[in-house]
Each structure stands twice: as C-alpha cells, then as structure tokens.
Amino acid sequence: MPTRHKRENENKNNKTICTLHTIQHMAETRKVHPVGAVLLIINLLMASRISLSRSILLLQRTNNHFPYSHFTPKRFPKSYPCPLWSSSFSLCLQTLHKSSTTTATTPPSISNCYSSISMDPVVDEANPLLQDFEFPPFDVVEAKHVRPGIRALLKNLESDLEELERTVEPSWPKLVEPLEKIADQLTVVWGMINHLKAVKDSPELRAAIEEVQPEKVKFQLRLGQSKPIYNAFKAIQDSPQWSSLSDARKRIVESQIKEGVLNGVALDDDKREQFNKIEQELERLSQKFGENVLDATKKFEKIITDKKDIEGLPATSLGLAAQTAVSKGHTDASAENGPWIITLDAPSFMSVMQHARNRGLREEIYRAYVTRASSGDLNNTAIIDEILELRLEKAKLLGYNNYTEVSMATKMATVEKAEELLEKLRAASWNAAVQDMEDLKIFSKSQGAMEANDLTHWDTGFWAERLRESKYDINEEELRPFFSLPKVMDGLFNLAKTIFGIDIEPADGLAPVWNNDVKFYCVKDSLDSPIAYFYFDPYSRPSEKRGGAWMDEVVSRSCVLSPNGTAPRLPIAHMVCNQTPPVGDKPSLMTFREVETVFHEFGHALQHMLTKQDEGLVAGIRGIEWDAVELPSQFMENWCYHRETLMGIAKHYETGESLPEEVYLKLLAARTFRAGSFSLRQIKFASLDLELHTKYIPGALESIYDVDQRVSKRTQVIPPLPEDRFLCGFSHIFAGGYAAGYYSYKWAEVLSADAFSAFEDAGLDNHKAVKETGHKFRETILALGGGKAPLEVFVEFRGREPSPEALLRHNGLLSVTTSA
C-alpha cells in the first residue's frame, strides 16, 4: 500500500476533491462479480439484494427471494441477498432533514466533487437527483425526476469520458482516479432510484426507469469497452513500475483487464454490436422477471372469514392478517374476529405453512407460492428461456463453452471445485435428510394424522414445527416476546463493541429516509470518531417493497473522493429486511429466524463499514469474489447461539425477564434439527443453477422444468410437484447476481464456519481471547476488502486454508454415514 504521505500528495493533485454519498447494489445483490455485466470499475462500485440484497446488470439489482430464507440476490457484489432456506423454517439542500441534537458528525456535501461536471442550471433547480446533498434525498425523489435527471447526468458523463480518453495516461492520477469519479457519479444517482424501486415501488417509477435504462446500459457498455482505457491498464501491467504497486492496485489493474475482456472490449465491431444487444436485452429481461415476481406475489390474496379455517395460527400471525385486511378496506377487521387476509409475503406464507391445521389451506397457499409468475401476463417461463439462451450466446461470443465458465472467471472456485464441494455436502446430508422425513412420518402418525403415510410439501413445515415443539419443547411463536426488535438491535450493537471495538449510535434526523420506519445510525471508533453510517429498513411492506433481506452500499470508503484531501470518504450502507412489523402498540416481535437474518445482513454491513482499504475500487465489499462475500454474514449468524450474546438480546418486551436457561439450551440443541434437509435444499438450488448454465440447451427436448425434476431426484427426498414452477420465482439467478453462482452460499459457509471456529478454539467464554480474535478478524476479513485475494485474506486470519470440518460439525453431519 502507498504510504499515507504519498496518498495525501496524490489527493492534493486532484482539481476537485470532496465526498460523494452514493446509493446501491445490490446485492443483490445480494452484491460481487457477475461477469457479463459491464465494466469492472462500475462492477466494483456496485459490489454487494443478498440479497440481497444483491441486480442482474450493473447498477440494477433485484432482490426477490424464496421465502424460506434469509432473503435477498444479486449480480454484482453489491446487494448481498441471503440464501433460500428450507420449509422448516430527497429536492433542495434546504429540504434535507438535519438534526441539531445528533452527536453524529455530518459529512461534507457533494457540492463540487467533480471539477468537470456542470449540470444545466434549469435542470439543477428542479431535480433532486442533480442537487448537491449530504445524504441521498430519498424523501423527495419521484418518478418525474428520473427521465430528465438520468439523461442530464449521462450527457455530462459522456463528455467526461471523451475527455478521459483524449488525455488518458497509464498512471493512477490520469487513469484510475478520473475513472472512479465517473463511475461513482453514475452509481450515486442510478443507485438512488434503483433502491427506491426496491423499497418504494410504483408503476410510475418502474416506467421511468424502464425508459432510461437502455441509455444507461449503452453508456456503461461504452465505458466498459473503451479501448484507450483498456490499453492504459495493460500498459500499467507491462510497465517497470508494476512490481512496486501495492497489492490492492495490482488487484484493480488485473481485474479491470479481465473484466474488459469479459465486457467485449476485444471483440471485433460486428460481434461487439451483437454483444451489446445481448446485454441490453438481458437487463430488460432481468428487470421484467423481478417485476413479475413482485406483482404475482402482490396479486394473491386469500380472504378468510371463518375462524375454523385458520386454527393453529398464532396471535401474531392473526394480528398481521387482520392488519392486512384493514389495509385492504376491511375497516372492522380484528385479530379475534377477522376477516383475515393471507398473502404470499414471507411472514404470512411461512406462518400458514408452519402452523395452519387446515391442510387444505396449506395446500392452496403452497401451490399458489410455487406457481407464482408462471401464468398469464406475469408468466416468467419464456423469459427464463430467453435469459438462458442469451447468456449462452454471450458466453460463445467471448470464447467460452457455457455461461458457468464466464461466471467462474471472476470467482474463487472453478466449475469442477464447485461441483465437487456440492457433491461432498450432498453425500453428507442425504441420509440425514431421509431420516428427517422418516421422523416426520413416525411423529405425525403418533399424532393421528391421516396424511402420515403420504406426507408432502405442504405437510413437512407443519409437522416439522410440531416435532420440534415436542422434541425440544420450543414453540417459536411463544419465543417472540423475548425477541423484540429494540432489544435485538441493542444486543447486536453490544456484540459489535465487544469483538470489534466500535460504538453504534442512533442518528435519526441526520439523513432523509424513504419511510418513517427507517432508522439511521452512526458507527464510531474507540476515539469516538465517526467511521461509517448505515440505514436500517426492517419491516415487510408487500404493497411496495421487494421481498427478502439484503445489504447494499450507499457509498464506499475512498481516498480519491476524500472531502479534504487527507481523510478518506466514509462508507455508508443500508440494511433491508422484511420481518414482522409491529402490531398495535406492541414492538416488532421477531422469530429466531428473523433474528438470525438481522445478524446476517449486519455481517455484510460490517465488511463494508469497517474496511481500512483506501483504494475506493476495492474498499469494503467492492472487488471481493462473489463466492467469498457471504463469509462475514454467515459468520455473524453463529453468535445467535452464543450464550452471552443470546441472553443479552432475549429479554421479554413487557417484563424484562431473561430467556430461561433451559430454553437457551433447547435452542442450542435444536440448532441441528433437520440440518440434512436444510442442506439438501440449498444444494438443490445450487446444483440446478449450475446445470441450467452449464449443460442445458434452450429449445431442446428437455425443458427447464424437466431439468428441475431431474436434479431434484438426487437432491430432494420428496420430488417437486409436476406442476411446480419454482424457477419462475428464482430471482437469485434470473433477476439477481447469483447466475451460475448460487453455490457461493455453501462455498462461503465453509469459510464462515471455519472462521468462527477460531473463536471456539480461543474459548468463547474467554473475553480477552474473544477480543483478540475479534481484532484479528476485523484487521483481515473486515478491513482488507477486495484489495487482496480472499484465500490469502482467510489464511492471514486463520493461519491455514479453510476446511469443511467446522461446517459439518456445526450442522451435526460430521459423523453421518453417507450414501450416493
């Protein structure tokens, strides 16, 4: 790394230096490197529905998730969505909100960050997308601002790019710094509107984005295929100074060259034109896919008036169903007397699957869910085939055999290594999953269930929950009062202080927000200095908000965009969840799975916010290989089972009573409950993804649904229904960043389990050892960002390469007899 003095001198050479606060990933996107998007620079800037969340093309991240999940997806390491789980389961500166009482330091505004930018004063005066601001003006941006704002921005960026190409030299100040500034401007404005589409959707906003999206993609392709820029990076790599560059700068150059090729820079004119048409169409199809899933989810409503039909649903679920009914015009609806409205939104859907005694209702809701977006105007079947066909055509243009090879070009794994890992985990999980199903049959029969000998998809969630209650004497709904959102967040922040030495303080009012439920926080170091900020949007809003959970960057740490030429720009993130909202005067009372989801997304946010990497293009979550980005998030989930941490958050919201010790021990014992089934479900999704992007030939005799059935024979104890159309809602790979990359969840799970085992080895009850190990984790995994290869970062932390032993041990599968 360059010395501090060297960085300061480089910054002083910049004509204009200031802070830029950008928004969004996604993962999406669920963030991350889906190849085939556009240039690396923007790709790096877009690292993170998830989603996740982690979208399919640059700056467009979609985060729809299968509800058995920590939800979220994505295409670039930007919005990191969460994996699919099993059925057990802003106008003018004056208008910006500011607080005179907050202790959080307000960053400088983006007043004149870029010397070459001069927006049309008429447009400036009226359009919040082009105003100077301290934080993105989420509260005042409307659909009417999108078309003029994006077009004005692109016009100026095109001029900046032409100037860069005329003056480019193979040096950091003459190449990378101006390029980062161009990309950052597009990231902040496009990210702002795309984020609003994810959390505050409307037909008008959709139409506006759809209209200007081709123009945005055209500019991205123009930038990503710039031969002067590509040649300048090649010249840096071939120069005598190459060996003296820092690891982070070498990573930037190498990745930019690789992505340049993957973005078609080396193609001749005819092929490049074809490539660009494919990219445009893929972006359109990806967006349409996600919209269809959201619309299909919103469209379904099941109105129930007879209380007998919803027997078994817990009070929290009845309250939510009645609250939904009130929002739909049934003003007299109540939790006690109804009417109640069941939807396909995760909290509603999962409650029915796990608790409704009415088997017919469970079947109806399940069938509606697995056939979402598979009929009528919202049918995604043809869109999937078009996406797969275009991805294969793109791969062939680039000289690859299939799209999976394109995807793996920017990941840790190879196709062979990914398949090898999946098979090892499948073999270790199969017998356990078979036994899981046998246990359900025996238990349901003992309870007099007529369906005991014919258990199917809408039965497993219900009977698994009953068996869990019986075996461990744990009722998830009865635990909700111990997991109120305020207490969970306090405990999470205390944990972060203990192991990472940071303080997190409320900063509501400092930044505009898109909904009154959104919270804003300031992260401070041990010297009480702000080092990052983040938004938190916790609750489900099915009428306007995409399903799932994801973390995304708003703006990344960067020395090039330093506000004063010395201190780096501070990172800002947002975390989005879809958990149960408050009902009446009660706070949000969470399931244990929702607690794990918050910890998961916070892990992503920590890697973004605690980075010490000053090269903006590889700071935080930027530039990290997609199959490594889930390490911090899955790592944080482990702390939900740590006695001191759990007891710190599990306080009854009314009495303050702590969770009884015996209940904690039962939760711990139940951690491996149906682990084989959960593991197989993830392996099915990952294997199906690889199969579709490696061997499937669009238009051949075998359909996508035939492939699903074939893969399921080796990865599911109960095969899918013949009419199952789960693929029509698989946003992770068709509207997010996990195309030929869903295996990343299991790959990173190996890394995260092994990383947590370092704390186990040190002694989880040894506070001194935990703090020391936490400091080492922060200085490596969280601090180094994409500036170093993830395997090297892991070895620096752990002292060796990763092993799957910890993962299998945590899942209770280490000694399970395996079978093919």
Side-chain angles (χ1 to χ4, degrees):
M1 290 293 294
T3 62
R4 183 71 167 188
H5 175 69
K6 196 170 184 179
R7 287 196 302 269
E8 290 173 4
N9 286 339
E10 288 176 351
N11 278 321
K12 290 174 183 176
N13 289 331
N14 296 335
K15 287 184 177 179
T16 309
I17 303 173
C18 69
T19 291
L20 177 58
H21 302 289
T22 71
I23 198 100
Q24 197 143 353
H25 87 338
M26 294 244 238
E28 75 154 110
T29 354
R30 266 146 99 231
K31 341 202 270 81
V32 183
H33 312 291
V35 293
V38 298
L39 75 162
L40 168 69
I41 294 293
I42 296 185
N43 180 358
L44 292 171
L45 289 174
M46 302 308 300
S48 162
R49 207 183 88 179
I50 99 304
S51 108
L52 297 232
S53 207
R54 19 234 341 313
S55 193
I56 265 261
L57 273 178
L58 206 45
L59 301 166
Q60 197 275 323
R61 293 154 300 268
T62 319
N63 301 303
N64 295 303
H65 310 279
F66 194 69
Y68 303 139
S69 96
H70 287 129
F71 313 99
T72 228
K74 181 159 22 243
R75 172 142 182 169
F76 293 98
K78 190 150 172 167
S79 224
Y80 296 119
C82 302
L84 309 178
W85 286 68
S86 144
S87 59
S88 171
F89 51 21
S90 332
L91 228 138
C92 297
L93 253 176
Q94 306 92 284
T95 68
L96 295 183
H97 300 305
K98 298 177 183 177
S99 171
S100 58
T101 60
T102 180
T103 59
T105 302
T106 304
S109 66
I110 310 174
S111 47
N112 292 304
C113 293
Y114 307 99
S115 56
S116 60
I117 293 296
S118 56
M119 294 296 181
D120 184 325
V122 176
V123 175
D124 267 358
E125 186 176 352
N127 198 317
L129 293 175
L130 304 176
Q131 292 289 320
D132 300 333
F133 47 75
E134 296 167 356
F135 295 98
F138 290 121
D139 57 340
V140 296
V141 172
E142 299 178 17
K144 65 182 180 181
H145 302 125
V146 173
R147 295 175 180 88
I150 292 297
R151 286 170 175 151
L153 176 66
L154 291 175
K155 179 180 178 182
N156 284 278
L157 291 180
E158 182 68 33
S159 176
D160 290 348
L161 178 55
E162 291 173 357
E163 176 65 19
L164 174 58
E165 290 180 322
R166 282 196 299 269
T167 61
V168 66
E169 296 176 10
S171 69
W172 226 250
K174 290 290 188 177
L175 170 61
V176 181
E177 293 178 8
L179 191 56
E180 181 180 347
K181 292 178 181 180
I182 290 173
D184 222 46
Q185 293 170 75
L186 182 56
T187 302
V188 64
V189 180
W190 187 265
M192 196 189 314
I193 62 173
N194 203 54
H195 174 68
L196 287 173
K197 182 175 180 291
V199 297
K200 199 174 183 180
D201 189 35
S202 71
E204 295 78 16
L205 183 58
R206 280 189 190 184
I209 291 176
E210 183 176 350
E211 185 174 323
V212 296
Q213 187 168 268
E215 299 166 48
K216 183 266 298 184
V217 175
K218 181 180 179 181
F219 175 76
Q220 291 172 289
L221 290 167
R222 159 89 169 82
L223 181 58
Q225 295 169 356
S226 170
K227 289 191 175 181
I229 292 175
Y230 174 77
N231 291 335
F233 275 109
K234 290 282 290 181
I236 290 179
Q237 189 177 47
D238 296 338
S239 71
Q241 288 74 39
W242 173 253
S243 60
S244 64
L245 290 183
S246 67
D247 289 342
R249 292 192 169 188
K250 286 181 179 178
R251 285 265 292 177
I252 290 172
V253 173
E254 290 169 344
S255 297
Q256 177 61 25
I257 292 171
K258 179 185 292 183
E259 288 284 345
V261 173
L262 293 172
N263 287 315
V265 71
L267 298 175
D268 58 39
D269 292 346
D270 290 343
K271 288 186 176 180
R272 187 161 60 249
E273 182 179 353
Q274 183 182 359
F275 179 93
N276 291 349
K277 288 179 180 178
I278 291 173
E279 291 291 79
Q280 287 280 11
E281 186 64 5
L282 280 172
E283 176 127 342
R284 184 190 70 80
L285 291 169
S286 168
Q287 179 164 302
K288 182 61 177 173
F289 184 100
E291 290 173 353
N292 284 350
V293 174
L294 179 60
D295 290 345
T297 302
K298 288 163 57 176
K299 184 178 179 179
F300 180 89
E301 292 179 6
K302 173 71 175 178
I303 301 176
I304 298 176
T305 57
D306 189 340
K307 198 163 189 175
K308 291 181 180 178
D309 292 338
I310 54 169
E311 286 183 354
L313 289 191
T316 303
S317 301
L318 292 174
L320 179 60
Q323 192 167 279
T324 301
V326 171
S327 72
K328 301 291 184 179
H330 301 273
T331 55
D332 296 329
S334 67
E336 296 76 21
N337 302 310
W340 305 271
I341 290 183
I342 303 300
T343 71
L344 298 182
D345 196 46
S348 179
F349 172 82
M350 293 170 68
S351 180
V352 170
M353 289 298 101
Q354 292 180 332
H355 301 291
R357 295 176 189 162
N358 185 337
R359 192 182 187 219
L361 176 63
R362 296 201 308 266
E363 178 179 359
E364 180 181 355
I365 301 302
Y366 179 84
R367 287 182 181 275
Y369 190 83
V370 298
T371 56
R372 283 183 310 161
S374 66
S375 62
D377 294 339
L378 302 178
N379 194 342
N380 273 336
T381 302
I383 291 178
I384 293 173
D385 270 325
E386 287 183 74
I387 289 175
L388 292 172
E389 185 173 0
L390 288 171
R391 286 174 178 169
L392 179 58
E393 185 178 351
K394 173 181 172 178
K396 300 285 189 180
L397 278 174
L398 294 172
Y400 291 93
N401 294 311
N402 53 62
Y403 187 77
T404 300
E405 292 182 1
V406 178
S407 175
M408 295 296 182
T410 54
K411 292 183 171 65
M412 287 181 69
T414 62
V415 178
E416 295 75 18
K417 288 294 184 181
E419 292 177 338
E420 180 184 347
L421 174 65
L422 292 176
E423 176 54 25
K424 284 182 178 179
L425 296 178
R426 188 202 68 82
S429 305
W430 181 262
N431 283 0
V434 170
Q435 186 61 52
D436 287 343
M437 182 54 62
E438 188 62 27
D439 290 345
L440 288 190
K441 290 179 181 178
I442 295 171
F443 177 75
S444 60
K445 184 176 291 187
S446 73
Q447 301 300 302
M450 295 179 63
E451 67 268 26
N453 293 320
D454 189 31
L455 293 183
T456 188
H457 301 280
W458 47 86
D459 300 317
T460 55
F462 177 81
W463 287 110
E465 189 63 18
R466 304 292 79 74
L467 176 58
R468 190 167 72 95
E469 292 169 356
S470 173
K471 188 173 183 178
Y472 302 103
D473 194 21
I474 293 177
N475 183 309
E476 190 170 71
E477 288 300 316
E478 292 178 0
L479 292 182
R480 279 185 186 266
F482 288 95
F483 296 120
S484 66
L485 180 62
K487 289 292 186 183
V488 170
M489 298 308 290
D490 285 346
L492 178 58
F493 295 162
N494 285 335
L495 174 66
K497 180 179 179 65
T498 299
I499 59 179
F500 301 129
I502 57 175
D503 286 295
I504 300 173
E505 301 176 356
D508 294 322
L510 181 63
V513 295
W514 51 92
N515 184 282
N516 289 335
D517 290 331
V518 177
K519 302 298 182 183
F520 191 67
Y521 296 95
C522 176
V523 182
K524 295 185 175 183
D525 62 16
S526 58
L527 300 177
D528 202 38
S529 299
I531 56 174
Y533 301 87
F534 70 96
Y535 303 82
F536 179 41
D537 184 353
Y539 309 130
S540 169
R541 295 189 300 275
S543 64
E544 65 175 11
K545 184 179 178 182
R546 182 185 299 144
W550 63 95
M551 170 271 166
D552 208 347
E553 76 167 53
V554 176
V555 61
S556 186
R557 180 181 170 100
S558 170
C559 262
V560 169
L561 294 167
S562 165
N564 54 21
T566 54
R569 180 183 68 178
L570 299 182
I572 306 172
H574 59 64
M575 291 166 50
V576 182
C577 292
N578 268 280
Q579 67 190 51
T580 308
V583 176
D585 57 357
K586 296 180 181 180
S588 174
L589 301 178
M590 305 166 66
T591 66
F592 189 67
R593 173 62 65 201
E594 288 174 337
V595 174
E596 289 182 298
T597 298
V598 171
F599 273 63
H600 179 105
E601 300 309 331
F602 190 64
H604 283 310
L606 285 172
Q607 187 170 41
H608 177 64
M609 297 188 296
L610 300 190
T611 183
K612 294 188 177 181
Q613 176 58 256
D614 291 333
E615 295 291 345
L617 298 178
V618 289
I621 57 177
R622 297 178 177 179
I624 297 175
E625 281 73 355
W626 188 269
D627 42 8
V629 298
E630 293 294 332
L631 193 169
S633 56
Q634 295 175 341
F635 163 83
M636 285 300 296
E637 289 182 47
N638 290 282
W639 293 98
C640 294
Y641 295 91
H642 177 231
R643 175 183 274 100
E644 187 174 326
T645 300
L646 187 64
M647 291 305 192
I649 66 177
K651 306 286 185 183
H652 196 284
Y653 80 101
E654 289 179 316
T655 68
E657 171 194 1
S658 295
L659 186 75
E661 174 70 13
E662 62 270 21
V663 176
Y664 163 71
L665 294 174
K666 292 172 183 175
L667 270 176
L668 201 61
R671 184 179 186 180
T672 60
F673 180 63
R674 291 178 58 79
S677 299
F678 294 173
S679 178
L680 273 191
R681 190 172 190 88
Q682 286 295 85
I683 292 164
K684 179 261 180 79
F685 295 144
S687 301
L688 179 57
D689 172 36
L690 289 180
E691 186 75 13
L692 289 173
H693 288 101
T694 304
K695 301 172 184 176
Y696 174 70
I697 302 175
L701 292 178
E702 191 178 40
S703 73
I704 55 174
Y705 306 119
D706 294 333
V707 176
D708 188 359
Q709 293 286 341
R710 174 164 54 80
V711 169
S712 295
K713 288 180 181 179
R714 282 179 55 79
T715 58
Q716 294 289 277
V717 176
I718 303 179
L721 299 174
E723 62 271 32
D724 187 298
R725 295 295 181 264
F726 157 73
L727 281 170
C728 287
F730 199 179
S731 296
H732 280 73
I733 69 172
F734 296 120
Y738 282 86
Y742 197 90
Y743 78 91
S744 299
Y745 282 116
K746 301 308 291 186
W747 187 272
E749 209 175 335
V750 169
L751 301 177
S752 64
D754 200 352
F756 187 75
S757 71
F759 288 81
E760 294 175 320
D761 294 346
L764 290 173
D765 295 327
N766 185 331
H767 287 197
K768 182 174 182 292
V770 166
K771 286 185 177 182
E772 290 174 350
T773 309
H775 177 75
K776 189 174 183 180
F777 187 89
R778 177 180 175 180
E779 293 301 308
T780 53
I781 306 296
L782 300 182
L784 297 178
K788 201 167 189 176
L791 181 58
E792 294 178 28
V793 174
F794 185 90
V795 170
E796 189 170 332
F797 167 67
R798 201 67 178 94
R800 56 164 174 76
E801 294 193 0
S803 162
E805 183 271 339
L807 174 61
L808 295 174
R809 173 168 52 82
H810 289 167
N811 288 342
L813 300 173
L814 193 58
S815 60
V816 174
T817 302
T818 63
S819 72

